[in-house]
Amino acid sequence: MPIDLNAALGAEITGREFAWSPSDVQHYNLALGAGARWTEPAELRYLRDQDPQVLPSFATVAPTFHETDPPKVQFTGIDIDLAKVVHGSQEITVHRPIPAAGKATTVGRVTDIWDKGSAAVIWREDTVTGSDGEPLWTARSSIFAKGEGGFGGERGPSTKSETPDRAPDFDVRTPTLPQQALLYRMCGDRNPLHSDPEFARAAGFPNPILHGLCTYGLVLKTATDTVLDSDATRVQSFRARFAGVLYPGETIRTRIWLGAGELVIAASAVERDDAPVLGDVVLRFR
């Protein structure tokens, strides 16, 4: 059905309670390639049995980690075929370090809906509170829904940030595995776009693509390991726009510019002449 702007804009998204364990965190970190440097103490922080280090990007999978059904894009006033949807952007702000185990409650709402003519961009914000009643993190994300525009909404801004006009301070290459998407989907993101060749081709891709949120986590880990001494507790927020696709087995090139309390980052696919993968990437740290 077409988007009902009046019903959808500002609508609350049903809250949910969820929990996670150290094994879930280890599983997520392994899905991002943790353990490749299996004898280095800093790398093994991600895989400790009782208190594995938690990257802020774990917040993107924690509420749905144990789900096995494909996600649905159904909210008040919105009902969209999953094959039409790609992730647009993601931002996580942590209010304190995420513990290796915990229980929390999330509540969300639709904050913006932009009419791009041929597509719609839908923004949501989720606030997560720990079982102690204190805030844990806030997530803000958008999806791009092809063919869902033309409903009469505002077009929204089209600005994007630029990387600094100088050589990056760090230039890192991170290989991905051919089975990277199959590993990452076990973290609760079972969209067949990342595992089913026929579904991917019907959506306009030659083969299944890597989850944008997997790339998001991979780049966050790369930046944390490269600049922040592999200390995920120093990350305050991490945002990115999904500027292109990455195919499993490709290599991510992460260019990092160091500023006062923040890193500006660009990520691209090495094998496709540095085709952009993530843009408008900013990591703020303490």
Side-chain angles (χ1 to χ4, degrees), residues 152-186:
E154 296 290 332
R155 184 168 180 82
S158 58
T159 57
K160 60 181 180 180
S161 59
E162 300 292 336
T163 56
D165 187 20
R166 60 179 176 84
D169 298 291
F170 305 91
D171 194 334
V172 187
R173 283 163 172 75
T174 305
T176 65
L177 299 170
Q179 66 269 38
Q180 197 88 50
L182 301 177
L183 288 167
Y184 188 84
R185 70 190 298 269
M186 304 304 289

PDB file of all heavy atoms in Angstrom, residues 152-186:
ATOM      1  N   GLY A 152       3.579  12.876  -1.741  1.00  0.00           N
ATOM      2  CA  GLY A 152       3.309  14.266  -1.404  1.00  0.00           C
ATOM      3  C   GLY A 152       4.053  14.804  -0.203  1.00  0.00           C
ATOM      4  O   GLY A 152       3.672  15.849   0.342  1.00  0.00           O
ATOM      5  N   GLY A 153       5.113  14.144   0.198  1.00  0.00           N
ATOM      6  CA  GLY A 153       5.878  14.619   1.347  1.00  0.00           C
ATOM      7  C   GLY A 153       6.995  15.571   0.957  1.00  0.00           C
ATOM      8  O   GLY A 153       7.241  15.829  -0.225  1.00  0.00           O
ATOM      9  N   GLU A 154       7.698  16.104   1.964  1.00  0.00           N
ATOM     10  CA  GLU A 154       8.867  16.950   1.728  1.00  0.00           C
ATOM     11  C   GLU A 154       9.984  16.113   1.123  1.00  0.00           C
ATOM     12  O   GLU A 154      10.143  14.931   1.439  1.00  0.00           O
ATOM     13  CB  GLU A 154       9.339  17.570   3.043  1.00  0.00           C
ATOM     14  CG  GLU A 154       8.346  18.515   3.695  1.00  0.00           C
ATOM     15  CD  GLU A 154       8.188  19.798   2.906  1.00  0.00           C
ATOM     16  OE1 GLU A 154       9.152  20.183   2.213  1.00  0.00           O
ATOM     17  OE2 GLU A 154       7.102  20.407   2.969  1.00  0.00           O
ATOM     18  N   ARG A 155      10.795  16.756   0.258  1.00  0.00           N
ATOM     19  CA  ARG A 155      11.877  16.030  -0.399  1.00  0.00           C
ATOM     20  C   ARG A 155      13.036  15.761   0.556  1.00  0.00           C
ATOM     21  O   ARG A 155      13.728  14.750   0.429  1.00  0.00           O
ATOM     22  CB  ARG A 155      12.372  16.803  -1.629  1.00  0.00           C
ATOM     23  CG  ARG A 155      13.431  16.047  -2.401  1.00  0.00           C
ATOM     24  CD  ARG A 155      13.731  16.639  -3.756  1.00  0.00           C
ATOM     25  NE  ARG A 155      14.759  15.869  -4.434  1.00  0.00           N
ATOM     26  CZ  ARG A 155      14.532  14.756  -5.111  1.00  0.00           C
ATOM     27  NH1 ARG A 155      13.301  14.281  -5.183  1.00  0.00           N
ATOM     28  NH2 ARG A 155      15.514  14.110  -5.699  1.00  0.00           N
ATOM     29  N   GLY A 156      13.258  16.649   1.509  1.00  0.00           N
ATOM     30  CA  GLY A 156      14.347  16.462   2.457  1.00  0.00           C
ATOM     31  C   GLY A 156      15.662  16.978   1.911  1.00  0.00           C
ATOM     32  O   GLY A 156      15.793  17.249   0.712  1.00  0.00           O
ATOM     33  N   PRO A 157      16.678  17.119   2.773  1.00  0.00           N
ATOM     34  CA  PRO A 157      17.967  17.650   2.336  1.00  0.00           C
ATOM     35  C   PRO A 157      18.722  16.655   1.462  1.00  0.00           C
ATOM     36  O   PRO A 157      18.477  15.451   1.506  1.00  0.00           O
ATOM     37  CB  PRO A 157      18.705  17.885   3.653  1.00  0.00           C
ATOM     38  CG  PRO A 157      18.102  16.920   4.606  1.00  0.00           C
ATOM     39  CD  PRO A 157      16.663  16.802   4.215  1.00  0.00           C
ATOM     40  N   SER A 158      19.643  17.178   0.673  1.00  0.00           N
ATOM     41  CA  SER A 158      20.464  16.316  -0.190  1.00  0.00           C
ATOM     42  C   SER A 158      21.946  16.607  -0.018  1.00  0.00           C
ATOM     43  O   SER A 158      22.757  16.229  -0.848  1.00  0.00           O
ATOM     44  CB  SER A 158      20.072  16.518  -1.656  1.00  0.00           C
ATOM     45  OG  SER A 158      20.218  17.878  -2.034  1.00  0.00           O
ATOM     46  N   THR A 159      22.290  17.318   1.057  1.00  0.00           N
ATOM     47  CA  THR A 159      23.689  17.661   1.289  1.00  0.00           C
ATOM     48  C   THR A 159      24.465  16.455   1.799  1.00  0.00           C
ATOM     49  O   THR A 159      23.904  15.544   2.411  1.00  0.00           O
ATOM     50  CB  THR A 159      23.803  18.799   2.313  1.00  0.00           C
ATOM     51  OG1 THR A 159      23.141  18.393   3.526  1.00  0.00           O
ATOM     52  CG2 THR A 159      23.145  20.066   1.791  1.00  0.00           C
ATOM     53  N   LYS A 160      25.754  16.449   1.535  1.00  0.00           N
ATOM     54  CA  LYS A 160      26.624  15.426   2.090  1.00  0.00           C
ATOM     55  C   LYS A 160      27.959  16.051   2.431  1.00  0.00           C
ATOM     56  O   LYS A 160      28.384  17.039   1.827  1.00  0.00           O
ATOM     57  CB  LYS A 160      26.795  14.262   1.113  1.00  0.00           C
ATOM     58  CG  LYS A 160      27.396  14.631  -0.233  1.00  0.00           C
ATOM     59  CD  LYS A 160      27.492  13.396  -1.113  1.00  0.00           C
ATOM     60  CE  LYS A 160      28.101  13.725  -2.475  1.00  0.00           C
ATOM     61  NZ  LYS A 160      28.200  12.520  -3.330  1.00  0.00           N
ATOM     62  N   SER A 161      28.619  15.477   3.412  1.00  0.00           N
ATOM     63  CA  SER A 161      29.884  16.041   3.882  1.00  0.00           C
ATOM     64  C   SER A 161      31.027  15.605   2.975  1.00  0.00           C
ATOM     65  O   SER A 161      30.938  14.609   2.257  1.00  0.00           O
ATOM     66  CB  SER A 161      30.157  15.596   5.326  1.00  0.00           C
ATOM     67  OG  SER A 161      30.219  14.193   5.400  1.00  0.00           O
ATOM     68  N   GLU A 162      32.098  16.371   3.010  1.00  0.00           N
ATOM     69  CA  GLU A 162      33.284  16.083   2.212  1.00  0.00           C
ATOM     70  C   GLU A 162      34.415  15.616   3.113  1.00  0.00           C
ATOM     71  O   GLU A 162      34.500  16.012   4.283  1.00  0.00           O
ATOM     72  CB  GLU A 162      33.720  17.333   1.436  1.00  0.00           C
ATOM     73  CG  GLU A 162      32.668  17.880   0.475  1.00  0.00           C
ATOM     74  CD  GLU A 162      32.400  16.962  -0.700  1.00  0.00           C
ATOM     75  OE1 GLU A 162      33.294  16.154  -1.029  1.00  0.00           O
ATOM     76  OE2 GLU A 162      31.301  17.051  -1.275  1.00  0.00           O
ATOM     77  N   THR A 163      35.290  14.782   2.583  1.00  0.00           N
ATOM     78  CA  THR A 163      36.475  14.394   3.338  1.00  0.00           C
ATOM     79  C   THR A 163      37.504  15.519   3.264  1.00  0.00           C
ATOM     80  O   THR A 163      37.473  16.346   2.346  1.00  0.00           O
ATOM     81  CB  THR A 163      37.078  13.100   2.773  1.00  0.00           C
ATOM     82  OG1 THR A 163      37.358  13.294   1.379  1.00  0.00           O
ATOM     83  CG2 THR A 163      36.102  11.940   2.936  1.00  0.00           C
ATOM     84  N   PRO A 164      38.418  15.598   4.228  1.00  0.00           N
ATOM     85  CA  PRO A 164      39.429  16.657   4.218  1.00  0.00           C
ATOM     86  C   PRO A 164      40.262  16.656   2.937  1.00  0.00           C
ATOM     87  O   PRO A 164      40.512  15.602   2.340  1.00  0.00           O
ATOM     88  CB  PRO A 164      40.293  16.306   5.439  1.00  0.00           C
ATOM     89  CG  PRO A 164      39.369  15.570   6.358  1.00  0.00           C
ATOM     90  CD  PRO A 164      38.482  14.769   5.438  1.00  0.00           C
ATOM     91  N   ASP A 165      40.676  17.834   2.535  1.00  0.00           N
ATOM     92  CA  ASP A 165      41.444  17.997   1.302  1.00  0.00           C
ATOM     93  C   ASP A 165      42.927  17.796   1.585  1.00  0.00           C
ATOM     94  O   ASP A 165      43.748  18.700   1.436  1.00  0.00           O
ATOM     95  CB  ASP A 165      41.182  19.387   0.710  1.00  0.00           C
ATOM     96  CG  ASP A 165      41.830  19.557  -0.668  1.00  0.00           C
ATOM     97  OD1 ASP A 165      42.128  18.523  -1.294  1.00  0.00           O
ATOM     98  OD2 ASP A 165      42.027  20.713  -1.091  1.00  0.00           O
ATOM     99  N   ARG A 166      43.272  16.605   2.026  1.00  0.00           N
ATOM    100  CA  ARG A 166      44.667  16.231   2.283  1.00  0.00           C
ATOM    101  C   ARG A 166      44.732  14.716   2.349  1.00  0.00           C
ATOM    102  O   ARG A 166      43.705  14.029   2.382  1.00  0.00           O
ATOM    103  CB  ARG A 166      45.164  16.848   3.593  1.00  0.00           C
ATOM    104  CG  ARG A 166      44.390  16.431   4.837  1.00  0.00           C
ATOM    105  CD  ARG A 166      44.963  17.073   6.092  1.00  0.00           C
ATOM    106  NE  ARG A 166      44.192  16.780   7.294  1.00  0.00           N
ATOM    107  CZ  ARG A 166      44.321  15.685   8.035  1.00  0.00           C
ATOM    108  NH1 ARG A 166      45.211  14.754   7.675  1.00  0.00           N
ATOM    109  NH2 ARG A 166      43.582  15.501   9.115  1.00  0.00           N
ATOM    110  N   ALA A 167      45.934  14.217   2.356  1.00  0.00           N
ATOM    111  CA  ALA A 167      46.114  12.771   2.439  1.00  0.00           C
ATOM    112  C   ALA A 167      45.596  12.265   3.789  1.00  0.00           C
ATOM    113  O   ALA A 167      45.712  12.958   4.811  1.00  0.00           O
ATOM    114  CB  ALA A 167      47.590  12.417   2.286  1.00  0.00           C
ATOM    115  N   PRO A 168      45.016  11.075   3.824  1.00  0.00           N
ATOM    116  CA  PRO A 168      44.528  10.552   5.109  1.00  0.00           C
ATOM    117  C   PRO A 168      45.681  10.257   6.057  1.00  0.00           C
ATOM    118  O   PRO A 168      46.815  10.000   5.634  1.00  0.00           O
ATOM    119  CB  PRO A 168      43.795   9.272   4.702  1.00  0.00           C
ATOM    120  CG  PRO A 168      44.434   8.863   3.416  1.00  0.00           C
ATOM    121  CD  PRO A 168      44.787  10.142   2.716  1.00  0.00           C
ATOM    122  N   ASP A 169      45.371  10.278   7.340  1.00  0.00           N
ATOM    123  CA  ASP A 169      46.374   9.936   8.347  1.00  0.00           C
ATOM    124  C   ASP A 169      46.601   8.426   8.424  1.00  0.00           C
ATOM    125  O   ASP A 169      47.678   7.975   8.826  1.00  0.00           O
ATOM    126  CB  ASP A 169      45.934  10.466   9.714  1.00  0.00           C
ATOM    127  CG  ASP A 169      45.821  11.975   9.730  1.00  0.00           C
ATOM    128  OD1 ASP A 169      46.871  12.640   9.644  1.00  0.00           O
ATOM    129  OD2 ASP A 169      44.682  12.488   9.809  1.00  0.00           O
ATOM    130  N   PHE A 170      45.586   7.669   8.047  1.00  0.00           N
ATOM    131  CA  PHE A 170      45.685   6.212   8.041  1.00  0.00           C
ATOM    132  C   PHE A 170      44.977   5.694   6.784  1.00  0.00           C
ATOM    133  O   PHE A 170      43.944   6.239   6.369  1.00  0.00           O
ATOM    134  CB  PHE A 170      45.030   5.597   9.283  1.00  0.00           C
ATOM    135  CG  PHE A 170      45.552   6.138  10.580  1.00  0.00           C
ATOM    136  CD1 PHE A 170      44.949   7.237  11.178  1.00  0.00           C
ATOM    137  CD2 PHE A 170      46.643   5.558  11.205  1.00  0.00           C
ATOM    138  CE1 PHE A 170      45.426   7.748  12.379  1.00  0.00           C
ATOM    139  CE2 PHE A 170      47.133   6.061  12.400  1.00  0.00           C
ATOM    140  CZ  PHE A 170      46.522   7.156  12.984  1.00  0.00           C
ATOM    141  N   ASP A 171      45.525   4.650   6.192  1.00  0.00           N
ATOM    142  CA  ASP A 171      44.946   4.050   4.993  1.00  0.00           C
ATOM    143  C   ASP A 171      45.068   2.536   5.168  1.00  0.00           C
ATOM    144  O   ASP A 171      46.162   1.973   5.063  1.00  0.00           O
ATOM    145  CB  ASP A 171      45.701   4.532   3.752  1.00  0.00           C
ATOM    146  CG  ASP A 171      44.977   4.226   2.449  1.00  0.00           C
ATOM    147  OD1 ASP A 171      44.202   3.256   2.430  1.00  0.00           O
ATOM    148  OD2 ASP A 171      45.183   4.946   1.462  1.00  0.00           O
ATOM    149  N   VAL A 172      43.942   1.889   5.473  1.00  0.00           N
ATOM    150  CA  VAL A 172      43.958   0.494   5.895  1.00  0.00           C
ATOM    151  C   VAL A 172      43.120  -0.359   4.946  1.00  0.00           C
ATOM    152  O   VAL A 172      42.054   0.066   4.498  1.00  0.00           O
ATOM    153  CB  VAL A 172      43.394   0.356   7.328  1.00  0.00           C
ATOM    154  CG1 VAL A 172      43.566  -1.071   7.838  1.00  0.00           C
ATOM    155  CG2 VAL A 172      44.061   1.352   8.276  1.00  0.00           C
ATOM    156  N   ARG A 173      43.591  -1.556   4.654  1.00  0.00           N
ATOM    157  CA  ARG A 173      42.834  -2.507   3.835  1.00  0.00           C
ATOM    158  C   ARG A 173      42.403  -3.691   4.682  1.00  0.00           C
ATOM    159  O   ARG A 173      43.228  -4.300   5.370  1.00  0.00           O
ATOM    160  CB  ARG A 173      43.678  -2.949   2.635  1.00  0.00           C
ATOM    161  CG  ARG A 173      43.726  -1.881   1.534  1.00  0.00           C
ATOM    162  CD  ARG A 173      44.846  -2.097   0.554  1.00  0.00           C
ATOM    163  NE  ARG A 173      44.749  -1.172  -0.575  1.00  0.00           N
ATOM    164  CZ  ARG A 173      45.068   0.132  -0.517  1.00  0.00           C
ATOM    165  NH1 ARG A 173      45.488   0.661   0.631  1.00  0.00           N
ATOM    166  NH2 ARG A 173      44.952   0.906  -1.595  1.00  0.00           N
ATOM    167  N   THR A 174      41.113  -3.992   4.619  1.00  0.00           N
ATOM    168  CA  THR A 174      40.534  -5.070   5.414  1.00  0.00           C
ATOM    169  C   THR A 174      39.853  -6.068   4.485  1.00  0.00           C
ATOM    170  O   THR A 174      38.837  -5.743   3.870  1.00  0.00           O
ATOM    171  CB  THR A 174      39.499  -4.524   6.419  1.00  0.00           C
ATOM    172  OG1 THR A 174      40.095  -3.511   7.223  1.00  0.00           O
ATOM    173  CG2 THR A 174      38.962  -5.635   7.302  1.00  0.00           C
ATOM    174  N   PRO A 175      40.383  -7.275   4.350  1.00  0.00           N
ATOM    175  CA  PRO A 175      39.728  -8.269   3.486  1.00  0.00           C
ATOM    176  C   PRO A 175      38.462  -8.806   4.149  1.00  0.00           C
ATOM    177  O   PRO A 175      38.355  -8.868   5.383  1.00  0.00           O
ATOM    178  CB  PRO A 175      40.790  -9.361   3.354  1.00  0.00           C
ATOM    179  CG  PRO A 175      41.622  -9.239   4.587  1.00  0.00           C
ATOM    180  CD  PRO A 175      41.626  -7.787   4.952  1.00  0.00           C
ATOM    181  N   THR A 176      37.494  -9.163   3.323  1.00  0.00           N
ATOM    182  CA  THR A 176      36.319  -9.869   3.827  1.00  0.00           C
ATOM    183  C   THR A 176      36.326 -11.284   3.270  1.00  0.00           C
ATOM    184  O   THR A 176      36.981 -11.574   2.271  1.00  0.00           O
ATOM    185  CB  THR A 176      35.010  -9.160   3.434  1.00  0.00           C
ATOM    186  OG1 THR A 176      34.862  -9.193   2.009  1.00  0.00           O
ATOM    187  CG2 THR A 176      34.999  -7.722   3.922  1.00  0.00           C
ATOM    188  N   LEU A 177      35.573 -12.159   3.916  1.00  0.00           N
ATOM    189  CA  LEU A 177      35.517 -13.555   3.521  1.00  0.00           C
ATOM    190  C   LEU A 177      34.406 -13.791   2.503  1.00  0.00           C
ATOM    191  O   LEU A 177      33.383 -13.096   2.535  1.00  0.00           O
ATOM    192  CB  LEU A 177      35.253 -14.438   4.744  1.00  0.00           C
ATOM    193  CG  LEU A 177      36.306 -14.394   5.849  1.00  0.00           C
ATOM    194  CD1 LEU A 177      35.774 -15.120   7.089  1.00  0.00           C
ATOM    195  CD2 LEU A 177      37.604 -15.017   5.383  1.00  0.00           C
ATOM    196  N   PRO A 178      34.536 -14.775   1.625  1.00  0.00           N
ATOM    197  CA  PRO A 178      33.430 -15.098   0.718  1.00  0.00           C
ATOM    198  C   PRO A 178      32.141 -15.444   1.476  1.00  0.00           C
ATOM    199  O   PRO A 178      31.043 -15.186   1.004  1.00  0.00           O
ATOM    200  CB  PRO A 178      33.957 -16.300  -0.069  1.00  0.00           C
ATOM    201  CG  PRO A 178      35.443 -16.161  -0.015  1.00  0.00           C
ATOM    202  CD  PRO A 178      35.739 -15.583   1.341  1.00  0.00           C
ATOM    203  N   GLN A 179      32.295 -16.013   2.673  1.00  0.00           N
ATOM    204  CA  GLN A 179      31.132 -16.401   3.472  1.00  0.00           C
ATOM    205  C   GLN A 179      30.777 -15.347   4.530  1.00  0.00           C
ATOM    206  O   GLN A 179      30.003 -15.627   5.450  1.00  0.00           O
ATOM    207  CB  GLN A 179      31.369 -17.754   4.151  1.00  0.00           C
ATOM    208  CG  GLN A 179      32.477 -17.770   5.210  1.00  0.00           C
ATOM    209  CD  GLN A 179      33.838 -18.127   4.649  1.00  0.00           C
ATOM    210  OE1 GLN A 179      34.184 -17.725   3.548  1.00  0.00           O
ATOM    211  NE2 GLN A 179      34.596 -18.894   5.408  1.00  0.00           N
ATOM    212  N   GLN A 180      31.298 -14.125   4.386  1.00  0.00           N
ATOM    213  CA  GLN A 180      31.088 -13.096   5.415  1.00  0.00           C
ATOM    214  C   GLN A 180      29.597 -12.813   5.651  1.00  0.00           C
ATOM    215  O   GLN A 180      29.145 -12.704   6.800  1.00  0.00           O
ATOM    216  CB  GLN A 180      31.785 -11.799   5.015  1.00  0.00           C
ATOM    217  CG  GLN A 180      31.988 -10.823   6.164  1.00  0.00           C
ATOM    218  CD  GLN A 180      33.282 -11.080   6.905  1.00  0.00           C
ATOM    219  OE1 GLN A 180      34.335 -11.188   6.310  1.00  0.00           O
ATOM    220  NE2 GLN A 180      33.193 -11.189   8.230  1.00  0.00           N
ATOM    221  N   ALA A 181      28.814 -12.683   4.588  1.00  0.00           N
ATOM    222  CA  ALA A 181      27.385 -12.400   4.755  1.00  0.00           C
ATOM    223  C   ALA A 181      26.662 -13.572   5.408  1.00  0.00           C
ATOM    224  O   ALA A 181      25.715 -13.376   6.179  1.00  0.00           O
ATOM    225  CB  ALA A 181      26.752 -12.067   3.410  1.00  0.00           C
ATOM    226  N   LEU A 182      27.086 -14.788   5.107  1.00  0.00           N
ATOM    227  CA  LEU A 182      26.450 -15.959   5.704  1.00  0.00           C
ATOM    228  C   LEU A 182      26.758 -16.049   7.192  1.00  0.00           C
ATOM    229  O   LEU A 182      25.938 -16.541   7.980  1.00  0.00           O
ATOM    230  CB  LEU A 182      26.909 -17.230   4.981  1.00  0.00           C
ATOM    231  CG  LEU A 182      26.593 -17.268   3.481  1.00  0.00           C
ATOM    232  CD1 LEU A 182      27.152 -18.539   2.850  1.00  0.00           C
ATOM    233  CD2 LEU A 182      25.094 -17.161   3.239  1.00  0.00           C
ATOM    234  N   LEU A 183      27.934 -15.576   7.584  1.00  0.00           N
ATOM    235  CA  LEU A 183      28.266 -15.502   9.007  1.00  0.00           C
ATOM    236  C   LEU A 183      27.465 -14.393   9.691  1.00  0.00           C
ATOM    237  O   LEU A 183      26.886 -14.593  10.762  1.00  0.00           O
ATOM    238  CB  LEU A 183      29.764 -15.222   9.177  1.00  0.00           C
ATOM    239  CG  LEU A 183      30.729 -16.354   8.856  1.00  0.00           C
ATOM    240  CD1 LEU A 183      32.153 -15.818   8.766  1.00  0.00           C
ATOM    241  CD2 LEU A 183      30.639 -17.429   9.932  1.00  0.00           C
ATOM    242  N   TYR A 184      27.406 -13.229   9.047  1.00  0.00           N
ATOM    243  CA  TYR A 184      26.764 -12.080   9.682  1.00  0.00           C
ATOM    244  C   TYR A 184      25.254 -12.278   9.821  1.00  0.00           C
ATOM    245  O   TYR A 184      24.652 -11.823  10.800  1.00  0.00           O
ATOM    246  CB  TYR A 184      27.063 -10.804   8.888  1.00  0.00           C
ATOM    247  CG  TYR A 184      26.599  -9.562   9.600  1.00  0.00           C
ATOM    248  CD1 TYR A 184      27.397  -8.955  10.567  1.00  0.00           C
ATOM    249  CD2 TYR A 184      25.353  -9.004   9.323  1.00  0.00           C
ATOM    250  CE1 TYR A 184      26.969  -7.824  11.231  1.00  0.00           C
ATOM    251  CE2 TYR A 184      24.913  -7.873   9.985  1.00  0.00           C
ATOM    252  CZ  TYR A 184      25.730  -7.285  10.945  1.00  0.00           C
ATOM    253  OH  TYR A 184      25.283  -6.171  11.613  1.00  0.00           O
ATOM    254  N   ARG A 185      24.631 -12.968   8.877  1.00  0.00           N
ATOM    255  CA  ARG A 185      23.181 -13.144   8.949  1.00  0.00           C
ATOM    256  C   ARG A 185      22.778 -13.947  10.185  1.00  0.00           C
ATOM    257  O   ARG A 185      21.633 -13.872  10.649  1.00  0.00           O
ATOM    258  CB  ARG A 185      22.638 -13.798   7.672  1.00  0.00           C
ATOM    259  CG  ARG A 185      23.003 -15.253   7.483  1.00  0.00           C
ATOM    260  CD  ARG A 185      22.635 -15.750   6.095  1.00  0.00           C
ATOM    261  NE  ARG A 185      21.200 -15.688   5.845  1.00  0.00           N
ATOM    262  CZ  ARG A 185      20.358 -16.693   6.094  1.00  0.00           C
ATOM    263  NH1 ARG A 185      20.806 -17.821   6.617  1.00  0.00           N
ATOM    264  NH2 ARG A 185      19.072 -16.580   5.832  1.00  0.00           N
ATOM    265  N   MET A 186      23.716 -14.709  10.769  1.00  0.00           N
ATOM    266  CA  MET A 186      23.423 -15.466  11.976  1.00  0.00           C
ATOM    267  C   MET A 186      23.296 -14.565  13.204  1.00  0.00           C
ATOM    268  O   MET A 186      22.959 -15.031  14.290  1.00  0.00           O
ATOM    269  CB  MET A 186      24.507 -16.527  12.214  1.00  0.00           C
ATOM    270  CG  MET A 186      24.718 -17.487  11.055  1.00  0.00           C
ATOM    271  SD  MET A 186      23.205 -18.348  10.565  1.00  0.00           S
ATOM    272  CE  MET A 186      23.008 -19.432  11.964  1.00  0.00           C
TER     273      MET A 186
END
